[in-house]
Amino acid sequence: QYDILNTFWNFAGIVGKIFSLSPLLAFHASRIIAIMVLLLSLYALLAYYTNDVMKRKVMFAFLCFSTGIGAFFEPLFAKSKMIGGYYFKPMDLWVPESNIFLSMLHSGHMVMSLALLVLIFLFYLIALEKKSYIHSAISGFLTLLLLSVHPFLFPLVIGVIAIYVVFLLLTRGKKQILSLYYFLIILGVSLPMLIYYGYMLMFNGVTRVRAEQNIAITTNPFLLLL
């Protein structure tokens, strides 16, 4: 389906074609590149928060390798099974998005989407600090790119920034009105991809069926807390 856009896999396919890579090699090469982008993004975020190099290293290690405590409880659920998956087991054992380390072992587009998520928030914070429309526009462009790679994270981006904007306006008043303007810029810049998905859902059968089948079941709250 050449009319379905996913910039990450489109790019991986083009690179694979140029260098005559097999689909398997193209898949893993793109994932390795995405991992490097993610690690640089995480360190950039830490550098924004602290100039202490030792603190950055410790925080970086925790970001890359920390996870839940599901492994300690896994024996309790060893015999629990559900047809088609492991939905009765702690999520940090099998859900890639549950922690960064598992994400890096999964598909490249998920790794890149996580890197974009980090950069979106970083540039929004910089925009607030420097009172810069340019940085908010960059955050908006990264959101547009995220939508073209892994649109499932878009509600998270909008939800987190919207809550932060409301918090700033309630606690600091009109002095933080720029936070709302920057948020609107992000929405405006990312609007073309939202229009694209709306069009595809209405007029592209493959996209519509994929959306109908995309059911992501969450485990019960206790396993989620683990």
Side-chain angles (χ1 to χ4, degrees), residues 117-141:
L117 185 69
V118 171
L119 291 174
I120 288 166
F121 292 140
L122 175 59
F123 276 96
Y124 182 74
L125 291 172
I126 294 174
L128 291 175
E129 180 184 2
K130 297 183 177 295
K131 294 181 171 56
S132 168
Y133 286 99
I134 294 177
H135 285 87
S136 64
I138 293 173
S139 183
F141 172 76

Side-chain angles (χ1 to χ4, degrees), residues 14 31 49 86 101 114 124 148 170 184 193:
I14 292 171
R31 181 172 65 87
Y49 279 110
Y86 301 91
F101 184 75
L114 186 55
Y124 182 74
S148 72
L170 289 178
L184 294 176
M193 279 305 299

Side-chain angles (χ1 to χ4, degrees), residues 142-155:
L142 293 170
T143 305
L144 175 75
L145 196 57
L146 175 65
L147 271 167
S148 72
V149 172
H150 195 46
F152 299 99
L153 291 181
F154 181 71

Side-chain angles (χ1 to χ4, degrees), residues 157-178:
V157 172
I158 299 305
V160 169
I161 296 180
I163 291 172
Y164 190 50
V165 169
V166 171
F167 169 77
L168 290 176
L169 291 175
L170 289 178
T171 57
R172 302 181 188 178
K174 294 182 179 179
K175 294 180 180 179
Q176 292 296 323
I177 193 64
L178 283 177

